[in-house]
Amino acid sequence: MNSSWKVVPDAANVCKEPFPHFVMANVLSDTLADSILHWFETDAVWHLHTSSFFSQYELDLSYDDLPVQCHEFFNRDIYGVLIQQMGRAFGRDMMDRVSVTAHRLLPGQMIGIHTDEPSGDCETHRLIIQLNRGWTEANGGHLVFFSENDAEAIHSVVSPVHNTSIGFELSDRSYHAVERIFSGVRFTIIFSFWAARYEPKIDLAHLPLPNYRNLIEYLATQGAEDTLHSRGTLLDHLQGVERILDRWGYPMYLRMAGLFHSIYGTEGFPKPRTSDRENVKNLIGERAEKLVDHYCSMIRRSFVEATISDHKILLCRDGSDRPVTEKELHDLVVIDLANIAELLPRLADKADIIADDCFWYRQVRYIVNRDARIELDTLFGCLLSNLENEQALPNEAEQAILAFLENAGASNVVHGESNLLSNLLRVRDQLIAWGSPVEIAMAGLAHSIYCWIGDPTPANRSILRIVLGETAERLVYLYSTLEPMQLRAAISCLSDVDSRHDEKTVEVRLKEESLSISTNEIKMLIWIELACYMSLQNTYLDFEKYLEHFGPVPLSWLPLETGE
Amino acid sequence: MATIDCEECLVLEKFAFADMDAAISKMAAIYQDRVPVLRRESARQWCFDMKLSRAFRPPRDKFLEENLRRNFDVDLVQSCALQFSERLGTNKKIFYGLALDHCYALTQWSRWYAEHSPDREQSILLVHFDAHDDLGSPSIVPIAELGQFRSLIDLSVMSISDVRSVNHFIHRGFIGIGSFILPLLHTLPNTQFIHVIPQGNEATWVRRQKEMVLDMEERAYGDYMAMSLTTRRPMHGEKGNRHSVQTNDLSFLQTIDHYGSVFLDIDLDYFCNVYDSNQPIGIEPSPKVIKQRMDDVIAALHDSSILKNVEVLTLALSPDFFPSSLWSLALDFAENLKKAVSEHH
C-alpha cells in the first residue's frame, strides 16, 4: 500500500462503544481522493436503490473496468491489505473476501436506523470512506451511531468530513443511520469484510453438560452443598450461575467455568475449595479451568479496570500481574455478570451494591450477547426503579411475591371455591407443612403466574427471577410448561434414582426449547402438583385416581403424609 | 359513573375436565349471560375471562351502542350494571327500579324484602309482563337459612335481604336476565305468579295450582365442575301454595282479587321483541303501534286492583331485545306508569 495514506487505524484506536468502531481523518492522499471524487461526480453510472428505510444511488466498484485514475486504490492488492488491517484492528481473523461499492446521497435522501446484523453468509465488518466537496454541518448527512434501536439513544455523530474513514463491526447492536441530506452531495466508498470465524448462533447451546452428575458430586464433596451462600447453599448459587449462562446461550466451556467459578477461592471468599488444578482440568476441561483460575486469582478492581481501559493485565491476589487475551477478558466479564444476575435479586435492598454493579454492567454491556443484555437490562431496570421510587423493598421473597400477587388482583380471580390468592396461600402452607425448602414453597405461591398474569417471555421471567429467585422461578416455569404427559415420562425415566446425591437428569422438549431437568426438580414439581390438588377443598376427584396420572412414583419422592 | 366489573377472571385446573371444550361448556352454563374467553393457559391451568355476551358478540340491535352512549353515556360493558332506583308515592313506600337488564328487578324486590322482613308464608302477587317467563335457574343453591343462597363457584353467600349481595351476584353473572325470579319464588313459595305475554303469543300454560316447586335443592357446593345446569328449569311438584297463570289477555288482570303486596314487573320486550337472539330478527312495529300497546297496558292496570296494591314497580329496557331506538317511548311509558302508581298512593 502506498505509504502516503492509511485508511484503517491500529487496534488501540478502535472504540468499543456503542459497538466496535473507529473514525480516521485524512485517509487518502489529496490527489487520490480528488481523482475518485471527480469520477464519482462526472462519468460514474449511478443506480437508484430504494428500500423501506433508505433511498440512495449506488455504484458497483467490483468490476475491473474502472477508470485508470482509480486503479491505485481499487485493486486486489489493496483489498488484501485492507482485509489484514481490518482483521488486526478488530481482533478478528478475516476471510480473503471483500466487496466494494459506492453510495451517492442527494438532498432529501437519508438512511434510517438499522444494524446490518450479519446472518448466514452476510458480511461482518464495514469500512466507509467519505468524499465530498466543501461539506459543512448545515449540509446534514451525518453518520449517527446509536446505543440501541431508538432515535433518542444517540451515542455519537460522525460528520461527513471529506476524506474520512469509518470502520465498524456489524452485529445485532450496530445501530446506525445517516441523517437526511439538506444540501450538497454526499459520496461514500463502502467496503464489506467477512470475519473468518464468524459463528452464527449454533445449536450447541442448551445441551446438557457432560458428566453433570460428577461435577455436582465433586462440588458437593468440596463442601459446596454445606456452605451457606446468599440465603441458600454455595452449590445452589453455582448451579444457578451455570443455568444463567446456559440460558444466555453461551458455550459449554463457559458454563463449566461458571459452575466452578469460585473453586479456588475468590477475593470475596478467599478460602479455596481445592487447589488441585489438574483434577479440575480433568473435570471441566483446560479452557474452562484456565478461566476459573483467572477469575479466582484476580483482584476484582483490576479486572474492572482492565475491561474498561482495555489494558489486558489482571492484578492477582498474590501481587503478580497476569496478562490475558481480550477473549479471556470478555469470557470473564460474562461469568461475572452471570454471577451478578444470580446473586443480585436476593440483594435487592442493597442500594450501593446494585449501583456499583449497574455502573460496571454499563461499562461492559457491549461485550455480552443479546439474550444476556435483555435479561440484565430488565434486572437492573427493575432494581433501580425500585430504589429510585423509594419503595419499601420486601426483605423476603415471600413478602415481595405476595405484594406482587395482591397488586395484580389475585384476590379478585376466582379459583376453586375461593379466590386465587387464598388458593396460592393454601398451596404454600401445604408445602411448608410437608417440610419443603423455601424455594419450593415460593414456587407454590407463584405457580399460577404464567397462566394468569403473563406468558413466560424472557422479560417476564427476568422480573419473576428478581422476585422469586432463580430456583423457584424455574420451578414455576416448569410447572407452567411441562405437560402432564411429559412429567409422567420424566418420572418414569428417573424413577430408579432414589437419593439426594444420586442426581440424574432427563432431557425434555418444551415448546421452544429443550431443558435438562433433574431428579430433584421432578420431585419438587410432584410436591407442588400434590399441594395444588390438596388445596382444592371438597375436591371431586379421588386422590388415588389423581395420583395415577403421575404413573409409578417412588414412595420416597412423595411428601410423607401423602406417601403414607 | 363508577365502573362495576361484571367480567370475572377464573383460573381452572385442567385435570378436572376432559378437555377445554368441557371446561368452557361448564363455565358457560354457570355464568349467566357471559362467554368464557381463554386469556392464557399453562400446562396445568386455564385462565378464562368471563366476557359479557352483550359486549363480546356484535349486538343485533345496530343502534344499541349509539343509543347507550346518547341516553346513558355508557358503553356496552358499562351498561351491564346500569340501574336507577327511587321511591314513589306520598309516603315514598313504593320501590321503583328501571334498569337495562331485567335481572335488577331482583334488586328492588330485595330492597322491599329487607324493609318488610316477611315470613315464609306471606303471599305476594308478582305480575310479570314479558315476552319470556324468565324462570330459568340461576347458578346458586339455597342454603338452610330462608332467603339465602350460595354461589356454585365459591363459598360466597347471597341473602335476599341484603341488596349488596344480590347486586354482587348479578354483577358476577350468577343471576342472569332469564333467571332472576326463582330466588324470590323460592324464598316466598306462596307468591302468586302471573306471566302476561304479548297479545298474539300463545300461552303454553294457562293456570297452575300448587305448581312450580324449584329444582334447587341443596348440593355439595364443591362439585360445581361436575354439575350440569343447562337443563335446570322449575319442576312441577306439590310444595307451596302457588297459583300461577300465563296469559296473553289483558282483561285477565281485572279478574285478579289479590289484596296483598303486588310486585309489578315489566320488560319492555313485552311490547316489541324484534332482536331476541332466539328468534329471527322481526319487523319493528311503528312507534305509534308500540305507544298504543303501552297505553293499553296502563289502561288495563287502571281497570284492575293491581295499581293500588303495587309495592314494587320494576321495568327493564332489555337491550338487544327491545329496540333501543324506542327507548324514548319506553322512558315516557315508565314516567306514565310511575304517575299512575303514585296516584293510588
Side-chain angles (χ1 to χ4, degrees):
Chain A
M1 179 180 279
N2 188 322
S3 59
S4 66
W5 42 263
K6 183 179 179 186
V7 294
V8 180
D10 299 329
N13 293 315
V14 174
C15 303
K16 298 297 182 193
E17 292 185 76
F19 43 86
H21 73 277
F22 64 78
V23 179
M24 192 173 175
N26 299 317
V27 291
L28 303 178
S29 68
D30 290 344
T31 312
L32 178 59
D34 193 61
S35 299
I36 298 171
L37 184 56
H38 177 72
W39 175 55
F40 283 174
E41 290 171 330
T42 54
D43 299 330
V45 181
W46 297 90
H47 300 281
L48 181 64
H49 184 185
T50 303
S51 84
S52 60
F53 65 92
F54 71 85
S55 169
Q56 65 190 5
Y57 287 89
E58 295 183 355
L59 174 66
D60 189 350
L61 296 170
S62 60
Y63 296 107
D64 290 332
D65 57 348
L66 300 177
V68 175
Q69 67 268 31
C70 297
H71 283 181
E72 181 185 347
F73 189 63
F74 298 110
N75 69 68
R76 294 183 189 282
D77 293 338
I78 295 294
Y79 296 166
V81 173
L82 289 178
I83 288 170
Q84 285 178 13
Q85 290 183 343
M86 285 292 282
R88 276 202 294 271
F90 289 99
R92 302 288 296 271
D93 293 332
M94 309 299 280
M95 292 170 65
D96 185 21
R97 181 178 176 188
V98 66
S99 83
V100 57
T101 183
H103 292 168
R104 182 179 71 166
L105 284 176
L106 300 178
Q109 292 181 320
M110 58 177 288
I111 302 176
I113 300 178
H114 64 292
T115 60
D116 291 328
E117 179 185 2
S119 65
D121 190 39
C122 293
E123 64 272 25
T124 59
H125 292 76
R126 194 84 81 210
L127 171 65
I128 299 168
I129 299 173
Q130 303 182 134
L131 298 173
N132 49 65
R133 292 190 195 278
W135 199 268
T136 66
E137 295 294 314
N139 291 126
H142 296 83
L143 175 65
V144 185
F145 289 161
F146 299 87
S147 50
E148 53 192 279
N149 188 14
D150 178 357
E152 302 286 320
I154 295 174
H155 179 275
S156 47
V157 177
V158 182
S159 295
V161 176
H162 175 64
N163 203 12
T164 303
S165 73
I166 304 121
F168 54 97
E169 193 167 274
L170 302 174
S171 69
D172 59 350
R173 57 200 171 91
S174 54
Y175 293 108
H176 58 285
V178 177
E179 182 200 13
R180 188 179 300 280
I181 311 295
F182 298 116
S183 59
V185 183
R186 180 187 187 273
F187 292 103
T188 46
I189 304 165
I190 314 286
F191 290 93
S192 297
F193 302 90
W194 279 256
R197 292 196 297 167
Y198 171 68
E199 294 168 2
K201 286 171 186 167
I202 48 175
D203 293 327
L204 290 177
H206 311 305
L207 289 178
L209 288 183
N211 296 319
Y212 187 74
R213 181 176 147 191
N214 290 345
L215 301 178
I216 299 302
E217 271 181 5
Y218 179 80
L219 290 169
T221 58
Q222 302 304 320
E225 199 177 23
D226 306 318
T227 305
L228 293 179
H229 185 288
S230 58
R231 294 192 205 152
T233 68
L234 177 59
L235 186 60
D236 293 335
H237 168 64
L238 297 174
Q239 287 180 290
V241 171
E242 187 277 322
R243 272 203 300 268
I244 288 170
L245 290 165
D246 180 28
R247 190 164 68 233
W248 291 349
Y250 282 106
M252 279 191 187
Y253 77 92
L254 260 182
R255 290 162 55 197
M256 294 275 204
L259 188 63
F260 275 64
H261 73 268
S262 63
I263 195 75
Y264 303 137
T266 60
E267 196 180 12
F269 296 90
K271 186 183 170 188
R273 300 277 142 205
T274 181
S275 52
D276 185 353
R277 290 190 58 184
E278 283 309 308
N279 197 9
V280 174
K281 268 183 207 170
N282 288 335
L283 282 166
I284 64 174
E286 197 166 335
R287 190 175 184 186
E289 192 277 338
K290 192 176 178 189
L291 285 173
V292 170
D293 185 46
H294 288 332
Y295 194 83
C296 292
S297 302
M298 70 188 184
I299 291 175
R300 189 178 158 78
R301 180 172 47 78
S302 78
F303 168 51
V304 172
E305 285 169 1
T307 316
I308 294 170
S309 66
D310 222 16
H311 295 306
K312 301 182 189 69
I313 294 176
L314 297 175
L315 179 60
C316 293
R317 288 194 283 141
D318 62 5
S320 64
D321 287 344
R322 179 178 298 195
V324 288
T325 66
E326 185 169 15
K327 176 64 179 159
E328 286 172 335
L329 201 60
H330 286 189
D331 284 347
L332 292 172
V333 167
V334 171
I335 293 170
D336 196 59
L337 288 175
N339 186 37
I340 287 173
E342 202 287 328
L343 197 57
L344 212 53
R346 294 191 297 282
L347 305 176
D349 54 348
K350 307 286 186 195
D352 50 344
I353 295 178
I354 293 169
D356 285 351
D357 284 346
C358 186
F359 179 76
W360 156 237
Y361 168 58
R362 283 176 180 160
Q363 306 294 315
V364 295
R365 183 177 181 272
Y366 71 93
I367 291 173
V368 296
N369 68 19
R370 186 170 174 271
D371 288 347
R373 283 202 305 276
I374 289 173
E375 188 165 328
L376 288 164
D377 287 350
T378 309
L379 171 66
F380 283 111
C382 289
L383 292 173
L384 290 171
S385 162
N386 284 342
L387 290 174
E388 283 165 10
N389 295 333
E390 296 181 347
Q391 290 171 354
L393 278 171
N395 289 322
E396 300 295 336
E398 180 174 296
Q399 284 174 282
I401 191 66
L402 274 174
F404 182 69
L405 292 168
E406 282 170 8
N407 288 338
S411 54
N412 295 324
V413 175
V414 177
H415 182 280
E417 292 177 345
S418 59
N419 63 59
L420 184 61
L421 185 60
S422 304
N423 173 263
L424 296 172
L425 289 168
R426 279 201 300 275
V427 172
R428 178 205 60 180
D429 291 345
Q430 182 66 74
L431 287 163
I432 290 172
W434 287 338
S436 309
V438 67
E439 293 87 356
I440 306 184
M442 288 305 94
L445 189 57
H447 74 269
S448 289
I449 276 183
Y450 292 140
C451 169
W452 159 56
I453 295 180
D455 293 324
T457 59
N460 284 341
R461 292 198 64 192
S462 298
I463 291 169
L464 202 58
R465 277 188 206 107
I466 294 166
V467 181
L468 280 184
E470 189 72 23
T471 306
E473 190 281 335
R474 185 172 150 94
L475 284 173
V476 172
Y477 175 66
L478 289 174
Y479 182 84
S480 303
T481 49
L482 195 64
E483 294 292 340
M485 286 299 289
Q486 290 178 301
L487 178 62
R488 188 187 169 112
I491 292 170
S492 167
C493 181
L494 298 174
S495 57
D496 57 325
V497 180
D498 204 11
S499 79
R500 173 73 177 87
H501 295 295
D502 202 10
E503 275 278 305
K504 227 172 111 178
T505 59
V506 63
E507 197 66 17
V508 178
R509 180 75 204 163
L510 300 178
K511 279 179 187 168
E512 293 175 356
E513 60 179 331
S514 280
L515 272 188
S516 184
I517 305 177
S518 70
T519 320
N520 204 35
E521 285 175 325
I522 294 291
K523 281 191 271 188
M524 292 181 194
L525 285 175
I526 293 174
W527 281 40
I528 293 171
E529 281 229 29
L530 288 173
C532 291
Y533 172 82
M534 307 284 268
S535 74
L536 289 170
Q537 293 166 340
N538 293 324
T539 38
Y540 32 83
L541 195 62
D542 178 72
F543 183 62
E544 286 185 9
K545 194 175 172 190
Y546 174 73
L547 273 183
E548 284 173 11
H549 89 269
F550 291 123
V553 183
L555 276 184
S556 63
W557 286 19
L558 300 175
L560 189 58
E561 184 186 325
T562 55
E564 284 173 343
Chain B
M1 65 178 287
T3 302
I4 294 170
D5 190 0
C6 294
E7 297 187 332
E8 196 147 281
C9 177
L10 194 73
V11 169
L12 296 178
E13 304 292 334
K14 287 186 175 179
F15 73 77
F17 299 89
D19 53 29
M20 191 165 76
D21 286 345
I24 286 176
S25 147
K26 213 63 95 176
M27 290 309 105
I30 291 175
Y31 283 88
Q32 319 248 312
D33 315 321
R34 304 291 192 280
V35 179
V37 176
L38 184 68
R39 178 196 288 191
R40 188 173 284 106
E41 70 175 311
S42 71
R44 279 162 183 74
Q45 295 173 316
W46 291 295
C47 181
F48 288 107
D49 288 312
M50 306 306 300
K51 296 282 184 192
L52 274 169
S53 5
R54 183 192 304 155
F56 183 73
R57 301 191 182 101
R60 296 186 112 201
D61 179 349
K62 289 178 182 167
F63 304 103
L64 181 56
E65 286 189 80
E66 181 188 334
N67 283 316
L68 279 172
R69 211 172 298 116
R70 182 184 302 157
N71 287 280
F72 304 110
D73 194 25
V74 293
D75 61 24
L76 287 169
V77 174
Q78 290 169 329
S79 73
C80 72
L82 199 66
Q83 56 170 328
F84 305 93
S85 303
E86 62 181 285
R87 301 289 288 262
L88 306 176
T90 314
N91 297 319
K92 303 291 180 193
K93 284 188 174 175
I94 315 297
F95 292 86
Y96 168 78
L98 171 73
L100 287 183
D101 290 327
H102 206 170
C103 40
Y104 287 101
L106 185 60
T107 303
Q108 300 304 325
W109 301 339
S110 165
R111 288 202 165 97
W112 177 91
Y113 191 95
E115 190 164 295
H116 291 80
S117 302
D119 62 39
R120 187 176 168 80
E121 302 308 315
Q122 177 148 352
S123 175
I124 304 288
L125 173 66
L126 171 57
V127 182
H128 175 70
F129 285 79
D130 201 316
H132 315 85
D133 65 16
D134 295 340
L135 287 172
S137 288
S139 303
I140 54 178
V141 288
I143 55 178
E145 289 78 11
L146 179 64
Q148 292 200 2
F149 303 83
R150 199 186 302 279
S151 131
L152 289 175
I153 287 288
D154 57 22
L155 302 177
S156 57
V157 170
M158 177 191 94
S159 171
I160 288 284
S161 61
D162 177 5
V163 177
R164 285 180 59 184
S165 72
V166 170
N167 278 336
H168 184 59
F169 267 41
I170 293 172
H171 295 154
R172 294 186 66 184
F174 299 153
I175 296 170
I177 56 173
S179 60
F180 59 94
I181 294 178
L182 289 198
L184 175 74
L185 299 189
H186 187 270
T187 305
L188 299 173
N190 290 330
T191 299
Q192 310 302 309
F193 178 65
I194 296 174
H195 179 200
V196 186
I197 57 175
Q199 291 179 25
N201 286 19
E202 188 179 347
T204 53
W205 42 270
V206 177
R207 180 182 292 265
R208 288 178 183 159
Q209 300 280 352
K210 298 182 182 178
E211 287 177 345
M212 290 178 61
V213 172
L214 310 181
D215 178 28
M216 291 196 352
E217 71 272 18
E218 179 93 36
R219 287 177 189 268
Y221 42 80
D223 65 353
Y224 69 87
M225 292 177 186
M227 288 179 70
S228 173
L229 297 165
T230 48
T231 58
R232 294 178 66 211
R233 298 284 297 171
M235 304 289 285
H236 295 178
E238 297 302 322
K239 297 179 187 172
N241 186 25
R242 180 163 297 118
H243 179 135
S244 303
V245 173
Q246 189 176 55
T247 180
N248 59 10
D249 182 4
L250 284 177
S251 64
F252 175 80
L253 301 179
Q254 295 171 32
T255 67
I256 295 172
D257 55 357
H258 181 90
Y259 295 99
S261 304
V262 171
F263 293 179
L264 178 57
D265 175 51
I266 299 176
D267 189 325
L268 269 297
D269 71 11
Y270 167 84
F271 300 108
C272 180
N273 183 37
V274 287
Y275 293 124
D276 192 332
S277 59
N278 292 322
Q279 299 168 14
I281 293 179
I283 299 168
E284 192 178 313
S286 72
K288 191 177 173 186
V289 172
I290 302 293
K291 175 76 169 59
Q292 184 58 54
R293 288 176 187 173
M294 290 172 171
D295 290 344
D296 289 347
V297 166
I298 290 182
L301 288 170
H302 271 299
D303 292 343
S304 72
S305 60
I306 290 174
L307 286 182
K308 66 180 179 188
N309 292 313
V310 166
E311 294 188 14
V312 185
L313 171 62
T314 48
L315 291 100
L317 292 175
S318 291
D320 239 12
F321 291 87
F322 180 74
S324 61
S325 52
L326 297 175
W327 278 353
S328 58
L329 210 54
L331 295 173
D332 288 345
F333 169 71
E335 288 303 314
N336 290 337
L337 200 54
K338 278 162 65 178
K339 200 180 296 176
V341 169
S342 298
E343 282 171 4
H344 286 85
H345 295 80

